[in-house]
mmCIF file of all heavy atoms in Angstrom:
data_model
loop_
_atom_site.group_PDB
_atom_site.id
_atom_site.type_symbol
_atom_site.label_atom_id
_atom_site.label_comp_id
_atom_site.label_asym_id
_atom_site.label_seq_id
_atom_site.Cartn_x
_atom_site.Cartn_y
_atom_site.Cartn_z
ATOM 1 N N THR I 135 -32.262 -19.386 -11.802
ATOM 2 C CA THR I 135 -31.752 -18.252 -12.582
ATOM 3 C C THR I 135 -31.961 -18.496 -14.080
ATOM 4 O O THR I 135 -32.012 -19.627 -14.537
ATOM 5 C CB THR I 135 -30.243 -18.023 -12.335
ATOM 6 O OG1 THR I 135 -29.559 -19.224 -12.667
ATOM 7 C CG2 THR I 135 -29.970 -17.637 -10.907
ATOM 8 N N TYR I 136 -32.075 -17.417 -14.810
ATOM 9 C CA TYR I 136 -32.233 -17.514 -16.250
ATOM 10 C C TYR I 136 -30.869 -17.713 -16.903
ATOM 11 O O TYR I 136 -29.850 -17.279 -16.374
ATOM 12 C CB TYR I 136 -32.839 -16.227 -16.816
ATOM 13 C CG TYR I 136 -34.274 -16.038 -16.434
ATOM 14 C CD1 TYR I 136 -34.619 -15.232 -15.365
ATOM 15 C CD2 TYR I 136 -35.288 -16.671 -17.144
ATOM 16 C CE1 TYR I 136 -35.938 -15.055 -15.008
ATOM 17 C CE2 TYR I 136 -36.610 -16.502 -16.791
ATOM 18 C CZ TYR I 136 -36.932 -15.692 -15.729
ATOM 19 O OH TYR I 136 -38.231 -15.520 -15.377
ATOM 20 N N THR I 137 -30.867 -18.356 -18.028
ATOM 21 C CA THR I 137 -29.619 -18.509 -18.779
ATOM 22 C C THR I 137 -29.180 -17.139 -19.287
ATOM 23 O O THR I 137 -29.988 -16.388 -19.821
ATOM 24 C CB THR I 137 -29.842 -19.453 -19.974
ATOM 25 O OG1 THR I 137 -30.378 -20.666 -19.481
ATOM 26 C CG2 THR I 137 -28.557 -19.727 -20.712
ATOM 27 N N GLN I 138 -27.919 -16.850 -19.106
ATOM 28 C CA GLN I 138 -27.384 -15.575 -19.575
ATOM 29 C C GLN I 138 -27.308 -15.565 -21.101
ATOM 30 O O GLN I 138 -27.089 -16.605 -21.712
ATOM 31 C CB GLN I 138 -25.971 -15.366 -19.012
ATOM 32 C CG GLN I 138 -25.936 -15.082 -17.531
ATOM 33 C CD GLN I 138 -26.586 -13.748 -17.191
ATOM 34 O OE1 GLN I 138 -26.351 -12.746 -17.867
ATOM 35 N NE2 GLN I 138 -27.427 -13.735 -16.174
ATOM 36 N N PRO I 139 -27.452 -14.408 -21.718
ATOM 37 C CA PRO I 139 -27.261 -14.334 -23.170
ATOM 38 C C PRO I 139 -25.818 -14.709 -23.514
ATOM 39 O O PRO I 139 -24.919 -14.496 -22.709
ATOM 40 C CB PRO I 139 -27.494 -12.852 -23.498
ATOM 41 C CG PRO I 139 -28.071 -12.249 -22.287
ATOM 42 C CD PRO I 139 -27.756 -13.116 -21.122
ATOM 43 N N SER I 140 -25.647 -15.278 -24.688
ATOM 44 C CA SER I 140 -24.308 -15.730 -25.062
ATOM 45 C C SER I 140 -24.101 -15.558 -26.559
ATOM 46 O O SER I 140 -25.061 -15.619 -27.338
ATOM 47 C CB SER I 140 -24.183 -17.211 -24.678
ATOM 48 O OG SER I 140 -23.034 -17.758 -25.248
ATOM 49 N N THR I 141 -22.855 -15.339 -26.942
ATOM 50 C CA THR I 141 -22.565 -15.221 -28.376
ATOM 51 C C THR I 141 -22.067 -16.548 -28.946
ATOM 52 O O THR I 141 -21.947 -16.702 -30.148
ATOM 53 C CB THR I 141 -21.483 -14.145 -28.626
ATOM 54 O OG1 THR I 141 -20.357 -14.448 -27.803
ATOM 55 C CG2 THR I 141 -21.999 -12.758 -28.305
ATOM 56 N N ALA I 142 -21.761 -17.515 -28.057
ATOM 57 C CA ALA I 142 -21.270 -18.816 -28.519
ATOM 58 C C ALA I 142 -22.154 -19.920 -27.947
ATOM 59 O O ALA I 142 -22.619 -19.812 -26.817
ATOM 60 C CB ALA I 142 -19.839 -19.017 -28.062
ATOM 61 N N LYS I 143 -22.380 -20.964 -28.743
ATOM 62 C CA LYS I 143 -23.215 -22.078 -28.282
ATOM 63 C C LYS I 143 -22.360 -23.083 -27.538
ATOM 64 O O LYS I 143 -22.131 -24.202 -28.004
ATOM 65 C CB LYS I 143 -23.927 -22.723 -29.462
ATOM 66 C CG LYS I 143 -25.028 -21.858 -30.025
ATOM 67 C CD LYS I 143 -25.921 -22.674 -30.912
ATOM 68 C CE LYS I 143 -27.183 -21.908 -31.233
ATOM 69 N NZ LYS I 143 -28.127 -22.691 -32.003
ATOM 70 N N ASP I 144 -21.860 -22.661 -26.386
ATOM 71 C CA ASP I 144 -20.978 -23.532 -25.611
ATOM 72 C C ASP I 144 -21.768 -24.600 -24.872
ATOM 73 O O ASP I 144 -22.865 -24.348 -24.382
ATOM 74 C CB ASP I 144 -20.186 -22.709 -24.592
ATOM 75 C CG ASP I 144 -19.169 -21.797 -25.271
ATOM 76 O OD1 ASP I 144 -18.729 -22.154 -26.372
ATOM 77 O OD2 ASP I 144 -18.859 -20.743 -24.696
ATOM 78 N N LYS I 145 -21.166 -25.791 -24.770
ATOM 79 C CA LYS I 145 -21.749 -26.872 -23.971
ATOM 80 C C LYS I 145 -21.047 -26.892 -22.618
ATOM 81 O O LYS I 145 -19.923 -26.420 -22.493
ATOM 82 C CB LYS I 145 -21.561 -28.207 -24.682
ATOM 83 C CG LYS I 145 -22.332 -28.270 -25.985
ATOM 84 C CD LYS I 145 -22.010 -29.513 -26.748
ATOM 85 C CE LYS I 145 -22.778 -29.487 -28.072
ATOM 86 N NZ LYS I 145 -22.283 -30.461 -29.021
ATOM 87 N N LEU I 146 -21.729 -27.457 -21.631
ATOM 88 C CA LEU I 146 -21.113 -27.612 -20.311
ATOM 89 C C LEU I 146 -20.639 -29.049 -20.197
ATOM 90 O O LEU I 146 -21.448 -29.977 -20.313
ATOM 91 C CB LEU I 146 -22.131 -27.339 -19.203
ATOM 92 C CG LEU I 146 -22.672 -25.919 -19.079
ATOM 93 C CD1 LEU I 146 -23.766 -25.875 -18.023
ATOM 94 C CD2 LEU I 146 -21.542 -24.973 -18.706
ATOM 95 N N THR I 147 -19.352 -29.222 -19.989
ATOM 96 C CA THR I 147 -18.795 -30.570 -19.912
ATOM 97 C C THR I 147 -18.166 -30.802 -18.542
ATOM 98 O O THR I 147 -17.431 -29.945 -18.042
ATOM 99 C CB THR I 147 -17.718 -30.765 -21.003
ATOM 100 O OG1 THR I 147 -18.292 -30.426 -22.262
ATOM 101 C CG2 THR I 147 -17.224 -32.200 -21.043
#
Side-chain angles (χ1 to χ4, degrees):
T135 58
Y136 290 98
T137 305
Q138 289 294 316
S140 168
T141 53
K143 288 195 168 184
D144 291 333
K145 295 173 182 165
L146 294 174
T147 306

